[in-house]
Amino acid sequence: VPPGFTITTEACNMYFEVGKVLSEELKEEALQHLRALEAKMNKKFGDNQNPLLVSVRSGSVISMPGMMDTILNLGLNDDAVVGFAKLTENERFAYDCYRRFIQMFGDVVMGIKHSDFDAIIDDQKIEKGVTMDTELTAEDWKAVIVKYKALVKQETGREFPQDPMEQLFMAVEAVFSSWNNDRAIYYRKLNGIPDYLGTAVNVQSMVFGNMGDTSGTGVAFTRNPSTGERKLYGEFLMNAQGEDVVAGIRTPLGIAEMERVVPQAYEQFKQICSTLENHYKDMQDIEFTIEKGNLYILQTRSGKRTAQAAVKVAYDLVAEGLINKEEALLRIDPNQLVSLLHRGIDPNATFEVLAKGLPASPGSASGQIVFDADEAEERGENGEKVILVRTETTPDDIHGIVKSQGILTSRGGMTSHAAVVARGMGKPCVCGCEALKINLADEVIEVNGQTLKKGDMISIDGATGNVILGELKMVDPELSEEFKTILEWANQVKRLKVRANADNERDAKQARSFGAEGIGLCRTEHMFMEQGRLHVVQEMILSETLEDRKKALAKLLPFQMGDFESIFREMDGLPVLIRLLDPPLHEFLPDIKELIKEVAVLEIEKPDSDELLQKKILMAKVQNLSEMNPMLGHRGSRLGVVYPEIYEMQVRAIMGAAVKMKKEGYTVLPEIEVPLIGINNELTKLRQLIVDTAEEVLQEAGVEVEYLVGTMIEIPRACIIADEIAKQTDFCSFGTNDLTQTTFGFSRDDAEGKFLHYYIDNKILENNPFAVLDRTGVGSLMKMAVEKIRPLKEHYDIGICGEHGGEPSSVEFCDMIGLTYVSCSPFRVPIARLAAAQAAIRNK
């Protein structure tokens, strides 16, 4: 390991606290360690005879690959490069190092575009009639350096710094500052990494992979980060420095080729990989350099991996005796599992493969070609499916990668920036597809005689590397045996039950296949929206008399019964919580703005028509039912109180379906939930309605079915009177979407569309409270409600059914305050199972 020293994260935080200035104390300490490093290496920093060169790297507490900056070959200047050439007896190598240093320093520290330096090299290659950097001579590099320094002077107004100590402290400041560059901030936000951690700076003596054919550099994982297979995985380049591998500028060789090219170093490397993995008890991501046949390890860290690999590695490490089951459960990021639960290409689909690249991150995606990260972000936010196509991605593209369905690059390998970031996000990625000739200026791709332009639809398969013309049919995933086993381990330790939000037979089936322990929310209003029913619902709403309304409800009854029968059938033996109608009635009616337009047209074209009269009547009804603030208006239990016949029909449908299914031999466990209770008398009235109706159905059928009556707690007043509510109910569940809206006084749609992103960007709020449960406010209300209920009813079920039910931090909070279950969308059930297990382990 090349010697060096570390400037700690504490120094980084101090740097920002005092206004981005390095203290004299810090400079003096760094100088002392530099002198010690000189003595250890028997070289002198900036010397023109025997110069010490160093790398300056970021070192955050949590791995953030590609998000911050590195500078290599620091310490070179016009004098030192001459001595370095004599010392190494390789003038070409020395000047190659110097031009690399100027380019990295110019980019990272002085803010000059990397591409401006690349253009100078490209011009030099054209002038010399060569295609590879390695074909340029020492004299070529000297010419490039002259042009590089002229570019620095032109862009910054100053000469390239020649004092090595000035270089060092400028580099340290740049690495500290990179903690707060846009891509690092975005990455931290995406991965929940706290801003206060800061970054360290590692100053390490240089070893050189660009000293000829016996030198090289590489990045390797001790296991395959895509699949988890226990086999060395990575890439290396001979006669190169580390930036060449990760930047994708040259296409590297697979790590197995090391055995042929440098067999002795390969054997040593294999042994070191085994040692590191056994020590850290996890898959490692290792950067290394070979200098004239000697192997050096630059750094190691726990490797970023796909969800598929995370599951297999955790499972295998238990089988190998390195970790126990609880440690294995903690090793897997629940949010990552989403990628395992999404669809891939239908194996029966026929398609045309345009080209084949490297299968860098598994999963499949279809989308329109987009070449620019900003455009990918914008179109992705608008709900469009796009594939971001680049020659290679850079850390600055991360916002576009997030909003894309997948990433496709023409250069770069399996450890390139695009590959590493995509794997971490669980997005499909195909890299190094050299058949693609990408013209970014004209926004077209030439591939095997075909021309594709921006907006054309393609598909990529990150498991095979295939790039496919057109959009393809996708199929649901099959979970691996390792995944199923790990979820069983989760079941053994978790306290919370995990249910699913499911409104139809399909979702119920999917939820059960993912291990749901019942349905925690079935929204009956979604059934009203089904084709062939909406006109009957509108007929019911627009009825002038109770008699007419009951006639319309009688038409809806068989529809509702059929829905509940199919769900009870799928959830045989498991509880099914059904929420009675919740949204305001106007949501089922035509849009008032459209009606006004239609009436205006008819008044001109058919002023005396019956059609105009009917439209005006309808418009008046819709206007009458419309509300200034529907979320706080006539909805939920308030509907049931004023229109009890609606809830009566729904209870008849639920209990009628339960009777029928029980007669057919199924075990049905219906739980009937009243939404939006805030006043105890609302609950008294509606519970009586539900019980009377249910008992009437059961007596008519002569069948006994156990059922529960409960409510959804979704306004602060319900939390305050939770003990009174509990006396009249058999269960309750928190509707945290509405509880968050009413606690904050935010309209979700308005907040997310207008100001919430500003609040998060400017640290007014740490997280979007509609995505991550607000423990301080909403959580305190929930905790208060639980503490009021538990002394009255110890075994009373208390759940959560908002979207927070599948978010790991929110699941942990639910476990901490003693809820019985969480409920989430079917595809998030495995995530919630794992999160519940992790919560139980962390909070024993």
Side-chain angles (χ1 to χ4, degrees):
V1 179
F5 59 91
T6 297
I7 302 172
T8 69
T9 54
E10 183 184 2
C12 175
N13 289 329
M14 285 175 61
Y15 170 76
F16 286 113
E17 284 167 16
V18 299
K20 295 189 177 182
V21 177
L22 293 182
S23 68
E24 292 305 313
E25 181 188 9
L26 173 62
K27 289 181 178 179
E28 182 56 38
E29 266 193 70
L31 187 58
Q32 289 173 19
H33 284 276
L34 187 65
R35 297 291 173 248
L37 184 58
E38 288 177 331
K40 191 176 287 186
M41 298 299 294
N42 196 27
K43 295 180 178 181
K44 189 165 177 59
F45 194 51
D47 190 61
N48 64 1
Q49 300 295 320
N50 186 20
L52 169 68
L53 305 185
V54 296
S55 63
V56 180
R57 304 168 184 269
S58 61
S60 56
V61 177
I62 297 167
S63 175
M64 294 169 58
M67 292 303 113
M68 292 181 298
D69 297 315
T70 296
I71 300 161
L72 304 180
N73 308 324
L74 190 140
L76 280 174
N77 57 25
D78 292 348
D79 287 338
V81 71
V82 177
F84 191 49
K86 289 177 183 173
L87 182 69
T88 59
E89 298 180 347
N90 188 335
E91 191 179 37
R92 184 202 174 280
F93 159 72
Y95 283 92
D96 180 27
C97 288
Y98 192 22
R99 70 91 187 170
R100 288 171 184 269
F101 170 54
I102 295 172
Q103 183 165 357
M104 279 192 222
F105 194 92
D107 174 16
V108 172
V109 180
M110 306 184 84
I112 302 165
K113 289 180 184 174
H114 201 280
S115 57
D116 290 349
F117 291 106
D118 283 341
I120 291 171
I121 295 181
D122 290 341
D123 289 345
Q124 190 70 23
K125 286 191 286 192
I126 291 167
E127 186 180 318
K128 296 303 295 278
V130 299
T131 56
M132 302 291 288
D133 295 0
T134 50
E135 296 174 280
L136 294 175
T137 65
E139 295 307 312
D140 292 324
W141 288 133
K142 288 177 185 177
V144 165
I145 288 165
V146 169
K147 292 172 185 171
Y148 271 12
K149 289 196 288 187
L151 175 66
V152 170
K153 180 71 182 290
Q154 174 191 314
E155 293 295 318
T156 67
R158 63 163 293 180
E159 302 291 343
F160 185 81
Q162 294 291 307
D163 178 0
M165 291 306 299
E166 183 186 12
Q167 293 174 0
L168 176 63
F169 291 131
M170 285 177 73
V172 169
E173 287 195 60
V175 173
F176 280 165
S177 294
S178 74
W179 176 253
N180 279 334
N181 67 32
D182 289 344
R183 63 181 185 266
I185 291 169
Y186 194 90
Y187 187 91
R188 289 200 297 276
K189 190 187 298 182
L190 202 63
N191 291 277
I193 299 171
D195 291 333
Y196 62 77
L197 292 176
T199 182
V201 177
N202 294 314
V203 180
Q204 191 172 33
S205 55
M206 283 295 301
V207 286
F208 300 95
N210 57 333
M211 291 190 77
D213 294 339
T214 59
S215 301
T217 188
V219 178
F221 294 80
T222 53
R223 300 179 191 231
N224 186 313
S226 286
T227 66
E229 182 186 4
R230 192 181 182 186
K231 183 180 178 182
L232 278 185
Y233 175 100
E235 296 161 327
F236 75 106
L237 275 170
M238 297 307 288
N239 197 17
Q241 286 199 319
E243 288 300 298
D244 296 341
V245 178
V246 294
I249 292 163
R250 285 163 57 193
T251 301
L253 299 171
I255 201 75
E257 285 289 293
M258 267 181 75
E259 188 169 20
R260 176 182 60 80
V261 179
V262 276
Q264 189 174 344
Y266 181 69
E267 281 305 311
Q268 191 184 2
F269 182 67
K270 280 203 306 184
Q271 291 170 14
I272 289 170
C273 285
S274 178
T275 300
L276 288 171
E277 191 172 270
N278 286 331
H279 176 77
Y280 289 107
K281 302 188 187 328
D282 198 7
M283 178 186 90
Q284 294 298 291
D285 170 1
I286 302 167
E287 293 184 24
F288 65 93
T289 289
I290 303 163
E291 182 181 286
K292 293 183 176 178
N294 295 314
L295 177 67
Y296 293 88
I297 304 298
L298 306 183
Q299 69 174 23
T300 190
R301 58 194 173 199
S302 290
K304 295 288 182 188
R305 64 206 77 177
T306 64
Q308 179 185 348
V311 166
K312 180 160 176 54
V313 169
Y315 178 89
D316 286 350
L317 289 175
V318 173
E320 292 160 27
L322 283 175
I323 61 175
N324 62 33
K325 291 178 183 178
E326 289 193 353
E327 288 173 305
L329 289 167
L330 292 173
R331 288 283 174 87
I332 303 167
D333 177 1
N335 285 316
Q336 249 195 320
L337 298 183
V338 174
S339 63
L340 292 182
L341 309 171
H342 282 225
R343 300 178 300 162
I345 294 171
D346 184 345
N348 298 317
T350 57
F351 48 82
E352 176 188 349
V353 176
L354 286 168
K356 197 175 181 74
L358 299 173
S361 182
S364 303
S366 296
Q368 295 180 52
I369 294 171
V370 170
F371 296 95
D372 177 73
D374 291 340
E375 185 176 351
E377 179 184 40
E378 182 183 341
R379 292 176 63 176
E381 284 183 343
N382 289 334
E384 296 180 58
K385 293 184 176 180
V386 299
I387 303 288
L388 181 61
V389 180
R390 306 281 287 164
T391 308
E392 70 244 352
T393 64
T394 71
D396 292 321
D397 294 327
I398 186 168
H399 57 295
I401 293 172
V402 169
K403 298 298 181 182
S404 301
Q405 301 297 308
I407 302 95
L408 171 62
T409 70
S410 60
R411 295 202 304 220
M414 308 284 270
T415 53
S416 65
H417 171 264
V420 172
V421 172
R423 280 198 296 270
M425 292 182 188
K427 286 190 181 281
C429 177
V430 174
C431 280
C433 187
E434 295 179 352
L436 303 181
K437 307 304 177 193
I438 300 172
N439 183 332
L440 292 176
D442 295 336
E443 296 190 313
V444 296
I445 303 169
E446 300 290 337
V447 53
N448 297 327
Q450 293 195 53
T451 300
L452 301 177
K453 60 185 184 301
K454 183 174 80 172
D456 286 349
M457 186 67 73
I458 58 169
S459 301
I460 59 172
D461 185 346
T464 63
N466 285 338
V467 180
I468 299 156
L469 187 65
E471 186 173 10
L472 294 180
K473 181 184 175 186
M474 301 289 170
V475 294
D476 291 333
E478 289 186 17
L479 303 185
S480 69
E481 290 305 313
E482 291 95 338
F483 190 14
K484 291 176 184 175
T485 301
I486 281 177
L487 288 178
E488 284 305 314
W489 295 348
N491 281 0
Q492 291 165 17
V493 298
K494 71 180 178 64
R495 289 181 286 254
L496 285 167
K497 291 186 180 297
V498 177
R499 297 194 192 184
N501 300 342
D503 310 322
N504 52 54
E505 179 182 9
R506 181 189 66 251
D507 286 351
K509 187 174 185 176
Q510 184 71 72
R512 187 151 197 167
S513 74
F514 284 152
E517 296 164 274
I519 289 178
L521 179 62
C522 174
R523 292 156 288 205
T524 52
E525 61 269 12
H526 287 191
M527 299 169 177
F528 283 6
M529 299 288 193
E530 292 284 328
Q531 195 170 7
R533 308 180 191 186
L534 188 56
H535 73 281
V536 183
V537 178
Q538 291 175 348
E539 180 187 331
M540 180 268 292
I541 295 168
L542 298 172
S543 297
E544 295 287 354
T545 65
L546 175 61
E547 185 182 356
D548 287 342
R549 190 155 46 252
K550 284 189 172 183
K551 284 179 183 176
L553 287 167
K555 296 178 189 176
L556 282 174
L557 178 65
F559 287 129
Q560 289 261 275
M561 270 191 68
D563 291 327
F564 297 135
E565 286 167 15
S566 64
I567 291 172
F568 286 142
R569 192 180 297 115
E570 286 296 338
M571 303 307 288
D572 183 23
L574 296 175
V576 176
L577 186 156
I578 299 165
R579 182 179 73 187
L580 300 178
L581 189 65
D582 181 49
L585 296 178
H586 74 85
E587 288 193 8
F588 299 99
L589 297 175
D591 180 64
I592 187 67
K593 291 177 184 175
E594 292 301 317
L595 279 174
I596 291 170
K597 285 180 191 173
E598 288 174 23
V599 167
V601 171
L602 286 170
E603 281 180 333
I604 295 168
E605 296 179 354
K606 301 177 182 178
D608 300 319
S609 67
D610 187 54
E611 184 183 358
L612 174 59
L613 179 62
Q614 294 303 317
K615 285 287 183 185
K616 282 185 172 181
I617 293 170
L618 178 59
M619 187 171 74
K621 285 273 190 182
V622 173
Q623 284 175 323
N624 186 48
L625 285 168
S626 294
E627 298 178 306
M628 296 297 291
N629 192 334
M631 203 209 87
L632 302 177
H634 196 186
R635 53 167 288 214
S637 59
R638 303 153 198 168
L639 271 178
V641 169
V642 176
Y643 301 112
E645 57 274 12
I646 298 176
Y647 279 11
E648 182 185 343
M649 179 278 289
Q650 291 194 295
V651 174
R652 284 192 180 279
I654 293 166
M655 298 311 296
V659 166
K660 185 177 178 185
M661 288 299 98
K662 184 163 186 182
K663 285 181 177 178
E664 291 182 15
Y666 293 93
T667 302
V668 290
L669 302 168
E671 300 177 353
I672 302 171
E673 182 175 68
V674 180
L676 209 74
I677 284 292
I679 304 166
N680 209 27
N681 285 339
E682 292 172 326
L683 185 55
T684 304
K685 184 178 180 66
L686 293 174
R687 179 185 174 88
Q688 194 61 53
L689 170 75
I690 292 165
V691 171
D692 289 348
T693 306
E695 292 301 323
E696 186 180 324
V697 172
L698 296 177
Q699 285 172 17
E700 286 172 2
V703 174
E704 287 189 11
V705 174
E706 285 191 25
Y707 64 95
L708 304 179
V709 180
T711 189
M712 186 180 281
I713 293 181
E714 46 195 327
I715 55 176
R717 193 175 193 276
C719 296
I720 293 165
I721 63 166
D723 48 347
E724 295 301 316
I725 286 173
K727 290 172 186 174
Q728 295 198 71
T729 52
D730 306 311
F731 69 89
C732 71
S733 71
F734 290 103
T736 49
N737 298 340
D738 277 358
L739 187 57
T740 299
Q741 293 194 88
T742 50
T743 301
F744 274 93
F746 287 173
S747 160
R748 178 174 183 168
D749 292 340
D750 291 328
E752 290 190 326
K754 291 186 173 68
F755 63 85
L756 203 50
H757 63 89
Y758 181 89
Y759 272 41
I760 294 163
D761 290 345
N762 288 276
K763 304 292 185 293
I764 294 167
L765 280 171
E766 187 177 343
N767 296 298
N768 178 346
F770 297 107
V772 179
L773 186 70
D774 163 48
R775 296 187 182 192
T776 309
V778 177
S780 294
L781 287 169
M782 292 170 64
K783 187 168 182 284
M784 176 178 66
V786 173
E787 289 170 351
K788 282 175 172 283
I789 292 168
R790 284 290 176 229
L792 299 174
K793 293 187 173 181
E794 185 181 351
H795 301 296
Y796 178 96
D797 277 354
I798 309 174
I800 177 178
C801 60
E803 290 170 36
H804 298 99
E807 193 281 316
S809 167
S810 309
V811 171
E812 181 181 45
F813 182 75
C814 293
D815 179 76
M816 289 166 67
I817 64 171
L819 264 56
T820 316
Y821 67 84
V822 294
S823 188
C824 56
S825 68
F827 280 96
R828 295 193 74 82
V829 166
I831 296 168
R833 288 170 67 186
L834 179 59
Q838 291 180 344
I841 295 165
R842 291 193 186 107
N843 302 300
K844 285 187 175 180

